[in-house]
Amino acid sequence: MEPRTIRSTPADAASSPLAFALGRAAELVRSPMDRILPLLCEAVAPLVAHTVAAELSGQCAHSPFKVHAVTGAGPRVGVTDLQALGPLVEPGRPWQGTAVVGGEEHTVVAVASEAAPMAVRPPLLVLVRASPGEVLAPADARTVQDLWDLVTGHRARISIEAVPGALAQSRSTAAERARVIAELGEAHEATLLALLGVLRGKGLEDRDARARAVDLAGSALVALRAVADRDQELTREPAAEAFTRLTESLTPLTRHCEVRLEFSPPEAETAEVSLPAEIAHLARAAVRTLVLAMAGQQGVRRVHLRWRLDHRQLVVSVRDDGPGEVGHATLGTLGTHQVSERLAALGGVLAVDALPGWGTTATVTLPLDTAPAPRVDPLAALHPREAEVLGHLAQGHRNRTIAQELHISESTVKFHVANILAKLGVSSRGEAAAVLHAVA
């Protein structure tokens, strides 16, 4: 059976692939993050028949590498495949040719984007073509590039503006991902170390075979550690690099005003400390808002920015030499109330200290340790009637009493109780009541 390639089903896709592709633009920006790549595949399908799409993003902290397999017959794309292809693709100039994907050569179309200026590297999209040797027309290649720019620009806006919901999800997902990777790494490392110990023992006679096995196991151990290093490279930023990107992004903000910006970078001993990417993004977004608010005051000639790491937290202070009459209320009118909301999503705080005649200092504090996952209400899955039954259980009522109070049969009460126990993951009426009391 020949590989099935992704094709558009709407009638207008065949007659006008460009209109069909651009018609998906609004759907792309409205959709959840985990649906964007599949929708993008659907949008470009009339232009580029492909079996697999993969992306390597420089701005997504918890999932920088994504693959959407349109069919089960496509190659198995890996991070290293895209990393090798990345240097060949110039942002804004679609690339076509053959590349090694999944250990074999395939015809691919690759596009990189400049629409994410704060990304660690230009986000890369690779489409593995269904038929080898096909060449995409320049106009169609331009459409694919435009759609990828749209997607990366949309994600960059969410990242730069540091939307609280996206930040909390990113941090929670990153924590779980880091835990799984660490456990997997430890298991493999322990296995390989045990293998090395056995092979190095003196009980084996075939020295050549033993030497070869030791070499293979040692190489596997190195490769495993390299995977962890690549993962950290994609999801974290050195403090000095993050600060440099902040200063570069601030330059255009004050280009047309007389306010002078002064910077105190991280201390040398903390310059190489790695920051979680979502922390770096949020810190830059908060500082840009604060600098704009302070630079817009009358009488401000200088704004000083200091960035330091102290006791597992990032502390950023923004100080002006203005009249010192700015407080939370005044800053709030300039949009900085949103800064506090964004910081709260990751356990951070904003403090404002104004001293009349001396200026205002705003301090952003962000913990570097991973925040706990948002608490889920265990009662959210219960239907209203089940919640009523649970309330009676918590009061110690028996089934007959509950049936009388709610004007239902005892068998119906038993049915609701069974559902409650299953949804709450408990085995007794007492445990269900304890869950209700704990939440209340």
Side-chain angles (χ1 to χ4, degrees):
M1 180 182 295
E2 292 185 357
R4 180 177 64 84
T5 60
I6 185 168
R7 297 287 184 184
S8 58
T9 54
D12 61 342
S15 59
S16 181
L18 173 60
F20 176 76
L22 296 181
R24 291 293 181 272
E27 190 176 358
L28 282 169
V29 298
R30 286 197 306 263
S31 300
M33 286 295 187
D34 59 351
R35 286 288 303 150
I36 288 181
L37 185 57
L39 287 172
L40 181 60
C41 287
E42 180 184 343
V44 302
L47 305 172
V48 186
H50 58 286
T51 58
V52 179
E55 65 168 282
L56 189 61
S57 170
Q59 64 200 48
C60 182
H62 64 273
S63 185
F65 174 66
K66 300 182 181 72
V67 176
H68 178 63
V70 181
T71 75
R76 186 180 181 87
V77 186
V79 176
T80 54
D81 297 329
L82 270 64
Q83 287 178 328
L85 189 57
L88 304 178
V89 186
E90 182 180 345
R93 296 174 63 90
W95 186 91
Q96 302 183 65
T98 58
V100 176
V101 179
E104 299 179 354
E105 283 197 348
H106 292 270
T107 302
V108 303
V109 175
V111 288
S113 177
E114 294 179 318
M118 304 305 293
V120 176
R121 59 186 56 78
L124 177 69
L125 172 69
V126 175
L127 304 173
V128 180
R129 303 210 63 159
S131 301
E134 290 186 344
V135 178
L136 192 62
D140 293 341
R142 184 69 255 171
T143 301
V144 175
Q145 179 72 62
D146 290 342
L147 283 172
W148 184 234
D149 288 342
L150 172 71
V151 167
T152 56
H154 171 59
R155 288 174 173 166
R157 180 190 63 79
I158 293 176
S159 177
I160 290 173
E161 292 184 0
V163 178
L167 285 168
Q169 179 188 12
S170 173
R171 200 72 190 276
S172 176
T173 307
E176 181 64 15
R177 177 166 167 265
R179 183 187 65 79
V180 173
I181 290 174
E183 291 181 355
L184 181 63
E186 290 175 2
H188 279 281
E189 186 170 0
T191 301
L192 292 171
L193 288 174
L195 177 61
L196 286 172
V198 172
L199 294 175
R200 285 171 175 165
K202 298 180 179 180
L204 296 178
E205 297 180 359
D206 192 341
R207 295 184 179 181
D208 292 337
R210 185 174 64 188
R212 178 61 176 163
V214 169
D215 181 62
L216 291 174
S219 299
L221 187 59
V222 171
L224 177 64
R225 289 169 177 167
V227 169
D229 291 340
R230 281 200 305 270
D231 183 74
Q232 177 165 313
E233 177 184 344
L234 290 170
T235 58
R236 301 180 72 88
E237 295 181 41
E241 180 179 322
F243 183 80
T244 299
R245 294 172 65 189
L246 170 62
T247 60
E248 292 174 350
S249 69
L250 286 174
T251 302
L253 300 181
T254 57
R255 182 175 297 164
H256 303 292
C257 68
E258 298 179 355
V259 175
R260 184 175 76 255
L261 292 180
E262 299 177 352
F263 302 101
S264 294
E267 297 178 354
E269 58 267 24
T270 62
E272 296 304 317
V273 173
S274 293
L275 303 178
E278 68 272 15
I279 290 292
H281 283 312
L282 177 54
R284 286 191 286 264
V287 169
R288 283 192 295 270
T289 303
L290 292 171
V291 169
L292 280 176
M294 292 183 171
Q297 301 175 85
Q298 291 291 334
V300 173
R301 299 179 302 278
R302 178 175 57 86
V303 174
H304 184 270
L305 171 63
R306 185 185 182 194
W307 179 300
R308 59 188 175 87
L309 289 103
D310 182 30
H311 303 298
R312 297 300 304 161
Q313 62 184 13
L314 174 63
V315 181
V316 183
S317 60
V318 184
R319 186 179 72 252
D320 66 36
D321 62 350
E325 298 173 354
V326 174
H328 270 289
T330 305
L331 287 176
T333 64
L334 300 172
T336 49
H337 62 283
Q338 298 176 357
V339 172
S340 296
E341 295 176 1
R342 297 166 186 169
L343 292 171
L346 296 186
V349 294
L350 168 65
V352 179
D353 183 20
L355 185 61
W358 290 91
T360 301
T361 300
T363 304
V364 171
T365 304
L366 276 165
L368 300 184
D369 295 323
T370 303
R375 183 181 178 185
V376 178
D377 183 1
L379 307 182
L382 300 183
H383 294 304
R385 177 63 81 181
E386 292 169 346
E388 289 182 299
V389 172
L390 178 59
H392 285 282
L393 291 181
Q395 298 177 47
H397 294 169
R398 309 305 299 172
N399 288 352
R400 178 177 297 180
T401 302
I402 297 174
Q404 292 173 348
E405 290 288 337
L406 300 181
H407 305 289
I408 55 179
S409 66
E410 284 192 54
S411 61
T412 301
V413 174
K414 293 179 181 178
F415 174 76
H416 286 318
V417 170
N419 283 342
I420 291 170
L421 298 183
K423 290 181 178 181
L424 296 183
V426 297
S427 58
S428 69
R429 299 160 69 100
E431 290 179 2
V435 171
L436 177 61
H437 290 307
V439 173

